[in-house]
Amino acid sequence: MASSTLINIPAASLENERARWNAIYKVLTEPKPEIVPTPRQAIWRKNKSVLWHYPAAEKKYETPLFLVYSLLNKPYILDISEEGSVIGNLTKMGYDVYMYDWGTPGLEDRNITLDQYVTNYLEMSVRHALRHSRAEEISLVGYCLGGTMSAILASITDLPIKNLVLAAVPLDYSTFILPEKWVKAIQDGTLGFDQLTDAYEVIPSQFLFAVFMALQGFNIGPNINLITRGHDPKYVDKWRRMDKWMKDSVSFSGAAFKQMLKEWYKDNKLVKGEMIIGGKRMDFGNIKCSLLVITSTRDELVLESQSLPIMDLVSSEDKTYELVEAGHVSICLTGQFAFAVDPWLSSRSKVMQPN
Amino acid sequence: MTNEKTADFFTSYRKISEMWEKGLNDFLFKAVDNKELIGLTKVGVDAHSRYVERLKRNHELIASYWNLPTKKDVANVAELTIQAEEKVDMLEQQIWSMQDAFAATFQEQQTLIQNVMEFNQQMHNELIKTAKGLSADVKKLGNEITEAADLKNIEEMREELAGMKEDLEEMKNLLKQAKVQPELAGSST
């Protein structure tokens, strides 16, 4: 049976084309959009870091949620727009949310180590959140490097952490996204960055941005997407917010950077349980609370194999692993993260008792 | 049979771009995975680090000649603020510990007072109960005493009756004697 294929070429809509090229022109010429956060209150400040409290729209759970974002990026990706806000959606779901913003270190913070970040900053902020909420327990939710810090904290602290959620978390550094020979060169010390770190003292944000860009290779996808979907104002708005966040990187303390490269990337001390934090030897085996590990299918920065080992290392009896259809950043950008976490978390959070 | 397909220029453009992007990235990934490039990067990083170090040294030197504060001086001052903040944090922690200890002591005290009050109440109840029991006992005793007093009266009456009986017997004897004496008198006359 013969079959013929008809190709239907739709006529270009003048309206669509005008909207598309107008949007592109705006992106190129207008200032970046202003990000308006969900109503919040700063309850504790230390150095450049801030602990924010986002009260629940209608409080449903007694157990508050503590979000920890990466040290290498600004956390407003979790609250980037009204519709796609992870924090906004969580507060609408009835959670009292606390978020820790690490801040951008200056030259005076050049000697802050990862130990200090965990014990003097993160642990203290969780204590403040617990005190502020008057809750008996708290759920710790860490994303990317924030997840690594949360996992370290959970393994050494005596704080009442009820649930631990780790999303796109790099823990096992036996392999990472660099080509094989580069991974080997870093691990055997052929390629080191100690001298560079000592020279800069604080790794400049531009340097980190350049590293991120280099890791992504030819990253023309976002620009192509802007052209192809430029006629859709909602998409353009989201694109502009994402673009702003991408280029708004932070600096990093030199001491912490050196420690990270040596103890994580080179010696892989996290999964070996050899890292000493605040005089205590960290061991993921000390984690006994409920654990949820989330990885995304299209994550090009953190490999699934970097997150998975924790499932076998913890002592938790209640542990869940979830693979979500998303990218490393898009899971937060779309607010999808809140919906990925809620079903698991809601059944493990203490529900408010009616008065 | 016909298959109708819609060909959108932008969709095709995106698909082709994605294809190219992936192809180029795969190529780049393989192309950079060589030892020579790693060696070259190391040389570049070291040279750049030395350059930055020298630049900073010279900057500090010039600033010291002109007696100008540098970013490092400002950072050192800021570090003092951070240290002060650390101390405030430690103090806050100690205050919290004290507050918690006070709260715990207060709680214990409350429990103790509660227990004492409960004990007191219990004692009070026991006392009332005992007092009630005692008054009942007293009443009973009173009744018994009254009853005993009545018995005493009966005894007295019995004694009186016994006395009266004796008197009666005596009177009877006297009467008998009186009856015998006239008879004797009559016979003698």
Side-chain angles (χ1 to χ4, degrees), chain A residues 135-297:
Chain A
E136 286 169 8
E137 293 174 308
I138 200 162
S139 299
L140 196 57
V141 182
Y143 191 86
C144 189
L145 217 54
T148 313
M149 302 299 266
S150 305
I152 294 172
L153 176 66
S155 72
I156 57 153
T157 191
D158 55 354
L159 289 170
I161 297 170
K162 185 168 168 53
N163 306 303
L164 178 65
V165 181
L166 305 173
V169 60
L171 295 165
D172 183 0
Y173 286 86
S174 55
T175 179
F176 39 93
I177 53 160
L178 289 180
E180 205 180 315
K181 283 175 184 153
W182 286 74
V183 172
K184 215 176 162 194
I186 290 172
Q187 284 172 345
D188 64 20
T190 313
L191 183 64
F193 295 93
D194 281 4
Q195 205 182 343
L196 184 82
T197 314
D198 288 338
Y200 275 110
E201 297 182 85
V202 170
I203 306 300
S205 56
Q206 295 85 346
F207 178 85
L208 288 175
F209 178 67
V211 170
F212 278 124
M213 286 293 105
L215 288 173
Q216 287 174 33
F218 291 101
N219 188 28
I220 50 169
N223 295 329
I224 302 296
N225 284 341
L226 177 68
I227 295 170
T228 52
R229 295 180 66 184
H231 58 281
D232 177 359
K234 271 191 179 174
Y235 180 80
V236 174
D237 180 60
K238 204 195 288 179
W239 191 95
R240 292 183 74 196
R241 288 167 190 272
M242 164 83 172
D243 185 55
K244 178 182 175 163
W245 176 80
M246 281 290 286
K247 289 170 183 164
D248 196 7
S249 51
V250 295
S251 51
F252 198 73
S253 148
F257 190 71
K258 266 168 90 171
Q259 194 182 5
M260 193 169 85
L261 281 179
K262 187 176 182 315
E263 298 194 8
W264 296 2
Y265 282 87
K266 197 164 172 270
D267 301 335
N268 198 16
K269 283 188 177 178
L270 280 174
V271 286
K272 288 180 187 165
E274 290 172 359
M275 199 170 173
I276 307 290
I277 297 285
K280 289 181 196 167
R281 191 191 188 91
M282 64 141 294
D283 180 5
F284 288 136
N286 294 336
I287 299 175
K288 293 180 181 76
C289 60
S290 301
L291 172 74
L292 170 66
V293 177
I294 298 175
T295 60
S296 9
T297 49

Side-chain angles (χ1 to χ4, degrees), chain B residues 95-106:
Chain B
I95 291 168
W96 280 4
S97 310
M98 275 166 66
Q99 271 181 340
D100 290 345
F102 282 142
T105 315
F106 182 69

Side-chain angles (χ1 to χ4, degrees), chain A residues 332-352:
Chain A
C332 288
L333 184 73
T334 52
Q336 198 185 346
F337 186 51
F339 300 101
V341 163
D342 177 54
W344 185 87
L345 208 56
S346 60
S347 59
R348 288 164 179 84
S349 298
K350 196 175 174 190
V351 180
M352 288 283 286

